Amino acid sequence: MSHDHEHGLPPKSSVSRWFLTTNHKDIGVLYLITALFFLVFGGVLALLFRLELISSGADLLGSMGYNQAVSTHGLLMVFWFISPFAFGFANYIVPLQIGADDLAFPRLNALSYWLYLFSGILMGVSFFQGTTFAGGWTMYAPLNTPAYIPGEGLGATSVVLALIMFTAAVTLGSVNFLTTMYRMRAENLRMRDIPIFSLSINLTVWMMLFAFAALLAALMILASDHILGTTYFQYSIDGTTMATDADNPGASLLWAHLFWFFGHPEVYIVFFPALGVMAECFQTFTGRRLVGRKWFIISMVLVALQSFVVWMHHMFLTGINLPIKTIFMATTIGISLPFDLMVFSLIYTMAKGRVRFTTPFLFSLGALILFIIGGITGVFLGAIVLDYQFRGTYWVVAHFHYVMVAGATALFGGLYYWYPKITGKMYNETLGKIQFGVYFLGFNLLYFPMFIAWETPRRVFVYPDGLQIWHSMATVGGFILGASFLLMFYNLFVSLWRGEDVGPNPWEYATSAEWAVSSPPSLENFPGVPSYATGKLEFLDEEAVTERTESAPGGAAHGHAATDGGTATDGGAVTARAAATATAVEPAHEVGGEEHASHASFWPFLVSLGGFIAFLGLSGVRTGSVFYLSMAAVGGVATFGSLVGMTREPFHAPEMAIAERWPFERVEKMKLGMWTFLASDIVLFGAFIGSYAFVRVAYGWTAWHHDLIPAEHVTMPGLINTYLLLTSSFLVVLAMVAAERESKRGTVAALVGTFALGVGFLINKGIEWNHLFHISTETFPNGWGLSTNIASSTFYLTTGLHGAHVTIGLIICAYMTVRAWNGAYQGDDRAIEYFGLYWHFVDIVWLFLFPLFYIL
Amino acid sequence: MDWKGYTVIYVVLFVFATAQAVVEFAGLVDSAYWAAFALIMVLSVIKAVGVAAYYQHLRWEPRAVTYLVLGGTVAALALTGAAAYSIL
């Protein structure tokens, strides 16, 4: 029988536990195991094409097999392995390090995981739809569009949809982590003082929030090109050949811009958690606080900001102009400077401390060495003239593997570092060190020869005979690297049974908060409410919390202290003032009734399963196949039904009674979550509008309207819709006012009005679209549809995305209207306010779409 | 803010939206395209700021929320501006 503290979850030995759990530690473990599965998946593909490259030519896999293996390897490793692996640790460790009992939105966290898993399964299924995507992990246009994909290309469409699903998981995760870190830090724990791993995750999720929104836009547009027939990323096709009067000269550059605006921050999204692990391990195994910690943090912040202004160094070989290349060369060289500072900080920490060569430290040190090589060789690529020579060669392949796999190396160190915390068992240290030796040898034998054989063209299986020796060495190195993982899996698996039991802190000098609790920690994490009010970690009991909240709401603030590194303690920088009462009374932050409601939920799994079926169906709808159409319909209904079920399920995750919340003290967590999501949505719409602006500039801004848009596309429908949306926004605020005044009739009337105006908006849009689809003029004899030209594609897709937002808003509005009818929200208008934030945002977007698509 | 304040904002938004259409109906888009473009976009920005500040209550939230919104906006503008400039 479940104890109250188990929040209705079955025991860990039960399979159902892992489908129902919303606990951050369980989900962290799920992420780690799933990411390691994808590591093996991507790794086996890599071994296959390394075998292929023992000699020049595609005599093992065949040309299409080789292209698929290379593309899928890249996509799996970048998206489905490295970041999710880091976020396994983030899920498990960050709440413990900052003093939270879970993430802010536990069910959303579970939903992120299941979306991630099912997106990976969809990726795998794509192999069975003829062929999977084979155009390289960067998916350059126009080779990413159906017209340029051999066969039906359904597998490629599934890959695009899988990436959309993955990106949705990332966005939900970003919102969740940011809300958690700004609303649930232990009392008196300033942002700058949180342990360096958590800080690295904080900056990572900031980058993810904005970068993945741009990727989402790119993928949604690409999916539309695949499924709906828009023409963003392809030149005009005239029958079976490319038309000479192509109307979309910006097609392939648009993809490059969108992809690399995401892609370069992605490098740091991958590497920052690894930096955090390295810093933690350097501190713990040298017994020294990170030297220049403040400057290390400032450097990370600078890199996070700069990461968004370097993307065009990936495009030096395209037709972008020289001034912009020069600017981006400067920003790219500039971003190496804060990294230099971080590297020196780590080296100096090692020099000042007394090093203990444990397995986690060896991996961290190895990662640093590899990263230095990767970083230096990358600076070559930031220089325009050198990039002209190196771009598209194995120099790039070697460089980015030295960077990205250096990150993975640190994360493997993290796996050893936190393994005792997660399992309560110690791994075999000797075997760990042997694995590091084999890993490091294999890594360098695999990737270093690629620098020497740099003239090999990238993504091509044919190379000059003189380079064969280097490729053979690399292949041997690849198998040695692969073998090292067998040692790791054996070690970690066997240690689950044979490993020595460990206490809270097996590392002599580890001082961050996760080491202050049992290994593994209890479901509640802490024996009371964590607080740093005295400058040291304490656990407050119910009485102390009540005193604190009554005397100083928001928490006291004295004696700030960094919560990681520092000098040795007696096994943890902890004084458990109320520890004696921790097992005898309810944890103080869990008092007050509903908190013990079940935290088990099957809905996140079901929503993701429904999404998987729907997306698999969508991948084939363009064929008109009943099978695919049925799957899309069934999946869509299942997803919607599951979302409704999830909404109606009672689930209570209260805010902490006392917490440090700078700089969002007065922004309740739901509101902060909504604002964070909207910030991401701004980038999504921004990227759509930016895409429109880009292709219009490429075509000729003023000629666009004259050449591509029919005279029947007039201002009036847009103006009417502007009035409808503005009025509906006004009614939402009136609903808030009515709820505040506890006027049920007023609340319901205003919400009904909002709903009716939103429906009116959609009907008006439907009439307008139907008219444009069926016009017949000299220039547009077959109507103005999605595929007519690039202007029609941008119009329908951008306003369609907006219409989809309106539709989602209407569903929420309908739900809230029913609730208001039943008496909800009276005297508490917060829910209406949060809905209003979304609805007004949809309104704001239209305020820009109206002039851009109807007037100018 | 009470309903009267919200109503004033609504009227202003309504008038500005109409003004944007009037710019086109008056033929300014055909006769002086870039002046019309600037005027119409400035009106859109004013309307957006009005909705965000008053209907979304950004004016009364901690400034950090505004910075969060500005972060997304700046990112989107950087992408749009730099990408468009790169092919000029």
Side-chain angles (χ1 to χ4, degrees):
Chain A
M1 180 185 155
S2 302
H3 185 272
D4 262 353
H5 287 188
E6 291 300 314
H7 280 301
L9 291 172
K12 285 183 184 173
S13 55
S14 162
V15 174
S16 63
R17 159 78 168 234
W18 302 97
F19 285 91
L20 292 169
T21 187
T22 61
N23 181 266
H24 72 101
K25 295 185 291 296
D26 292 348
I27 290 169
V29 171
L30 288 171
Y31 264 109
L32 289 173
I33 292 170
T34 311
L36 286 171
F37 167 77
F38 285 117
L39 167 72
V40 173
F41 188 172
V44 168
L45 288 173
L47 292 179
L48 281 174
F49 65 73
R50 276 318 315 171
L51 278 176
E52 178 70 85
L53 290 169
I54 279 184
S55 61
S56 177
D59 34 23
L60 176 68
L61 300 172
S63 55
M64 198 57 186
Y66 178 86
N67 290 342
Q68 289 178 79
V70 168
S71 305
T72 309
H73 161 77
L75 289 165
L76 283 176
M77 290 305 199
V78 171
F79 291 103
W80 279 276
F81 163 57
I82 304 186
S83 274
F85 192 48
F87 273 78
F89 296 124
N91 258 285
Y92 202 103
I93 300 299
V94 167
L96 289 165
Q97 286 197 334
I98 68 171
D101 59 354
D102 206 324
L103 290 187
F105 308 109
R107 278 191 309 178
L108 216 55
N109 194 27
L111 184 58
S112 287
Y113 168 74
W114 290 112
L115 285 172
Y116 156 59
L117 176 69
F118 278 109
S119 70
I121 294 173
L122 187 55
M123 180 82 188
V125 167
S126 69
F127 273 98
F128 300 98
Q129 294 177 288
T131 54
T132 185
F133 186 75
W137 86 274
T138 49
M139 306 177 85
Y140 285 133
L143 298 180
N144 57 5
T145 53
Y148 293 85
I149 293 171
E152 283 189 311
L154 301 190
T157 306
S158 283
V159 170
V160 177
L161 294 170
L163 281 163
I164 288 178
M165 206 167 178
F166 176 84
T167 308
V170 168
T171 303
L172 294 179
S174 304
V175 169
N176 212 345
F177 270 93
L178 287 171
T179 308
T180 303
M181 297 181 87
Y182 288 110
R183 291 291 304 174
M184 298 174 71
R185 301 194 306 276
E187 182 187 27
N188 209 33
L189 180 56
R190 299 183 301 183
M191 277 307 295
R192 72 182 76 167
D193 293 330
I194 63 177
I196 208 83
F197 175 71
S198 291
L199 204 55
S200 72
I201 294 296
N202 178 266
L203 291 167
T204 303
V205 285
W206 272 117
M207 288 188 282
M208 284 163 68
L209 186 75
F210 296 134
F212 272 88
L215 178 68
L216 183 59
L219 293 168
M220 289 171 84
I221 293 171
L222 181 57
S224 167
D225 275 12
H226 277 238
I227 298 167
L228 302 175
T230 50
T231 59
Y232 273 80
F233 295 128
Q234 56 193 1
Y235 300 95
S236 274
I237 304 297
D238 180 12
T240 55
T241 58
M242 211 163 83
T244 50
D245 59 343
D247 69 6
N248 186 12
S252 65
L253 270 183
L254 171 65
W255 175 265
H257 274 300
L258 290 173
F259 183 84
W260 287 117
F261 183 79
F262 146 79
H264 205 80
E266 168 68 3
V267 175
Y268 307 115
I269 287 167
V270 166
F271 200 74
F272 265 34
L275 258 181
V277 171
M278 285 155 73
E280 294 277 357
C281 287
F282 270 64
Q283 291 185 132
T284 294
F285 298 110
T286 62
R288 288 282 312 181
R289 189 164 184 255
L290 193 63
V291 173
R293 186 181 192 275
K294 181 171 78 176
W295 294 103
F296 192 96
I297 294 167
I298 290 171
S299 298
M300 282 208 291
V301 173
L302 272 176
V303 170
L305 293 171
Q306 281 180 269
S307 71
F308 286 94
V309 288
V310 294
W311 81 88
M312 275 189 247
H313 72 239
H314 294 276
M315 300 167 65
F316 284 160
L317 252 63
T318 68
I320 59 173
N321 60 46
L322 189 58
I324 199 85
K325 287 181 189 173
T326 311
I327 292 168
F328 275 76
M329 180 173 74
T331 56
T332 302
I333 304 292
I335 206 168
S336 66
L337 300 177
F339 267 117
D340 295 339
L341 202 147
M342 286 187 263
V343 166
F344 282 118
S345 167
L346 289 171
I347 292 172
Y348 203 45
T349 303
M350 195 166 52
K352 295 280 281 183
R354 188 169 147 259
V355 177
R356 288 147 188 86
F357 287 96
T358 58
T359 305
F361 180 80
L362 287 171
F363 271 95
S364 298
L365 178 60
L368 180 63
I369 294 166
L370 299 175
F371 177 68
I372 290 171
I373 298 171
I376 290 172
T377 51
V379 176
F380 286 56
L381 298 166
I384 298 169
V385 287
L386 292 175
D387 192 62
Y388 282 179
Q389 190 69 26
F390 285 130
R391 178 69 47 190
T393 71
Y394 262 47
W395 183 275
V396 180
V397 179
H399 150 69
F400 80 64
H401 279 91
Y402 263 89
V403 173
M404 304 286 259
V405 191
T409 305
L411 294 175
F412 294 130
L415 188 58
Y416 281 106
Y417 182 58
W418 282 305
Y419 179 85
K421 176 55 56 186
I422 294 170
T423 63
K425 300 283 187 180
M426 182 53 82
Y427 60 85
N428 183 311
E429 186 66 57
T430 308
L431 207 50
K433 287 177 180 172
I434 292 171
Q435 194 235 329
F436 171 73
V438 177
Y439 177 97
F440 202 70
L441 172 71
F443 180 104
N444 286 292
L445 194 57
L446 169 58
Y447 297 119
F448 201 81
M450 293 183 191
F451 282 124
I452 302 167
W454 70 271
E455 286 172 294
T456 309
R458 185 179 172 190
R459 302 191 187 99
V460 177
F461 42 76
V462 179
Y463 54 80
D465 289 341
L467 301 176
Q468 186 170 2
I469 179 68
W470 304 113
H471 282 289
S472 298
M473 283 172 68
T475 300
V476 172
F479 277 88
I480 293 174
L481 183 66
S484 78
F485 287 108
L486 297 179
L487 290 174
M488 185 179 85
F489 292 136
Y490 172 80
N491 188 355
L492 300 184
F493 188 72
V494 169
S495 298
L496 284 175
W497 287 275
R498 293 195 200 153
E500 282 179 30
D501 289 332
V502 293
N505 188 1
W507 311 120
E508 196 177 356
Y509 294 98
T511 57
S512 46
E514 76 270 30
W515 304 109
V517 293
S518 60
S519 304
S522 67
L523 198 71
E524 307 281 0
N525 287 350
F526 304 107
V529 176
S531 166
Y532 287 94
T534 60
K536 292 181 88 176
L537 178 59
E538 296 179 310
F539 298 120
L540 307 179
D541 61 13
E542 186 180 355
E543 198 180 326
V545 171
T546 309
E547 268 176 36
R548 201 67 62 89
T549 47
E550 281 176 359
S551 61
H558 358 265
H560 296 289
T563 52
D564 55 353
T567 53
T569 68
D570 54 352
V574 185
T575 46
R577 198 167 80 180
T581 60
T583 52
V585 298
E586 300 293 343
H589 54 314
E590 292 276 318
V591 296
E594 284 191 82
E595 292 79 354
H596 284 301
S598 172
H599 273 201
S601 179
F602 202 46
W603 295 114
F605 171 80
L606 290 178
V607 170
S608 309
L609 177 62
F612 166 76
I613 295 168
F615 274 22
L616 188 55
L618 277 179
S619 72
V621 291
R622 69 169 177 264
T623 63
S625 145
V626 175
F627 172 72
Y628 279 115
L629 285 167
S630 308
M631 287 236 289
V634 169
V637 170
T639 307
F640 181 75
S642 304
L643 281 170
V644 171
M646 193 162 151
T647 308
R648 294 186 55 75
E649 178 184 57
F651 193 95
H652 196 55
E655 292 234 40
M656 289 162 69
I658 50 170
E660 196 66 37
R661 289 166 177 145
W662 179 89
F664 296 104
E665 292 92 345
R666 291 187 288 113
V667 190
E668 190 265 336
K669 77 171 182 181
M670 273 300 293
K671 188 192 275 189
L672 182 57
M674 178 58 85
W675 271 119
T676 312
F677 167 74
L678 291 181
S680 166
D681 224 15
I682 288 171
V683 179
L684 176 74
F685 269 111
F688 266 82
I689 294 171
S691 299
Y692 159 78
F694 182 80
V695 291
R696 186 165 173 175
V697 168
Y699 183 85
W701 186 276
T702 47
W704 171 278
H705 199 84
H706 178 263
D707 297 352
L708 305 177
I709 297 175
E712 287 74 10
H713 181 42
V714 293
T715 305
M716 194 49 80
L719 182 62
I720 291 169
N721 268 351
T722 305
Y723 290 151
L724 290 174
L725 269 194
L726 283 176
T727 310
S728 71
S729 259
F730 177 55
L731 286 181
V732 172
V733 289
L734 290 190
M736 262 180 63
V737 172
E740 262 176 31
R741 293 181 177 179
E742 302 192 29
S743 163
K744 179 180 155 185
R745 186 182 295 180
T747 310
V748 171
L751 286 173
V752 167
T754 303
F755 184 82
L757 290 166
V759 170
F761 176 94
L762 291 180
I763 291 172
N764 186 33
K765 185 179 282 292
I767 294 168
E768 179 205 20
W769 282 21
N770 189 47
H771 173 63
L772 292 171
F773 284 154
H774 296 103
I775 58 168
S776 182
T777 64
E778 192 180 334
T779 317
F780 303 103
N782 301 314
W784 199 61
L786 274 84
S787 311
T788 305
N789 57 37
I790 183 62
S792 68
S793 290
T794 55
F795 170 73
Y796 289 117
L797 193 62
T798 312
T799 58
L801 176 70
H802 179 268
H805 275 67
V806 171
T807 307
I808 292 167
L810 286 176
I811 293 167
I812 300 169
C813 186
Y815 178 77
M816 295 184 77
T817 306
V818 173
R819 290 207 65 213
W821 180 266
N822 291 326
Y825 315 127
Q826 301 312 301
D828 181 4
D829 63 352
R830 284 179 300 174
I832 299 175
E833 186 189 358
Y834 305 155
F835 163 67
L837 293 179
Y838 173 83
W839 193 255
H840 301 314
F841 170 72
V842 173
D843 188 7
I844 288 173
V845 171
W846 184 257
L847 297 181
F848 290 97
L849 298 190
F850 167 53
L852 286 172
F853 287 96
Y854 288 88
I855 303 178
L856 298 168
Chain B
M1 197 172 194
D2 63 9
W3 69 272
K4 288 177 192 164
Y6 289 129
T7 308
V8 170
I9 300 296
Y10 172 65
V11 171
V12 171
L13 293 170
F14 202 93
V15 169
F16 276 25
T18 309
Q20 287 179 309
V22 167
V23 169
E24 199 213 359
F25 296 151
L28 197 60
V29 173
D30 295 324
S31 60
Y33 182 84
W34 291 110
F37 180 93
L39 181 59
I40 286 169
M41 292 314 290
V42 165
L43 285 171
S44 276
V45 170
I46 294 170
K47 284 193 294 180
V49 170
V51 174
Y54 293 96
Y55 283 6
Q56 292 184 307
H57 305 126
L58 266 186
R59 215 186 135 187
W60 295 278
E61 299 289 3
R63 281 290 79 84
V65 181
T66 305
Y67 299 145
L68 171 65
V69 173
L70 285 178
T73 309
V74 168
L77 287 174
L79 171 62
T80 306
Y85 174 74
S86 76
I87 51 168
L88 287 179

